[in-house]
Amino acid sequence: MESSIKNSVDVLNNTPNVLSALMNNLSDKVLNSNEGENTWSVKEVIAHLVICEETNWLQRIKIILSNQNDKVFAPIDLLAHFDIAQNNSISSLLERFKENRKINISEIEVLDIQESDFVKTAVHPVIGKVNLNELLSTWVAHDLTHLSQITRVMAKQYKNDIGPFIFYLNRLK
């Protein structure tokens, strides 16, 4: 799919509402269950999205668009979300994510990104040179991938109770 700012922003704008609708009135058991050792719970995924919203996407876009010579992204703390998930309610995490996303989308609009900016680059600390189009596309895919992860974690909580219907649910096999 060819990227565009509008298409990306449309998806990014929807994510907080999708998450809120999905998390509405869920028990702590559902929110804190995971898929086994070294996997994330639904609540931990939401905390991860909060961290990324606060330290990743917009900051990296600004680095790419800047005039500085040394355009290198700071690494993301991939463990910070565990503490945040443990010390916050799901409602506060969702609200924090929603507010941060709203601010970030507003700032993107102020940046007035043009398609000619899509080829501008910076250096990721692990994968090397990336361009703005790749970063924006990854932001959208990151949201969608974690939405899929959340629904998979939730669905697997029913795996032992669906009996022969497992035949139709390949994701749970």
Side-chain angles (χ1 to χ4, degrees), residues 52-156:
C52 289
E53 208 62 28
E54 293 176 353
T55 65
N56 187 351
W57 307 112
L58 185 64
Q59 293 77 358
R60 290 178 172 190
I61 288 169
K62 287 180 175 180
I63 289 170
I64 288 174
L65 295 174
S66 75
N67 291 324
Q68 67 191 52
N69 291 330
D70 187 25
K71 295 184 180 187
V72 179
F73 299 154
I76 303 299
D77 183 349
L78 295 175
L79 301 176
H81 67 279
F82 292 116
D83 194 43
I84 291 172
Q86 188 174 10
N87 293 311
N88 290 277
S89 68
I90 193 67
S91 59
S92 68
L93 290 171
L94 289 167
E95 187 59 32
R96 187 169 160 182
F97 176 71
K98 182 179 179 179
E99 288 303 313
N100 285 322
R101 177 58 60 89
K102 184 178 176 182
I103 291 166
N104 287 347
I105 295 297
S106 294
E107 290 201 38
I108 285 174
E109 291 168 354
V110 168
L111 290 172
D112 191 33
I113 298 170
Q114 303 298 310
E115 287 206 29
S116 59
D117 294 321
F118 281 10
V119 297
K120 294 180 179 177
T121 63
V123 177
H124 185 279
V126 174
I127 59 176
K129 190 189 287 190
V130 297
N131 66 41
L132 181 59
N133 184 52
E134 293 164 337
L135 182 66
L136 283 169
S137 296
T138 301
W139 189 3
V140 173
H142 181 264
D143 271 20
L144 296 171
T145 300
H146 282 303
L147 283 168
S148 173
Q149 177 186 16
I150 288 166
T151 58
R152 184 186 70 237
V153 169
M154 291 170 63
K156 283 188 176 179

Side-chain angles (χ1 to χ4, degrees), residues 13-26:
N13 265 325
N14 286 337
T15 303
N17 293 332
V18 170
L19 289 170
S20 290
L22 197 55
M23 303 293 114
N24 191 30
N25 298 319
L26 295 183

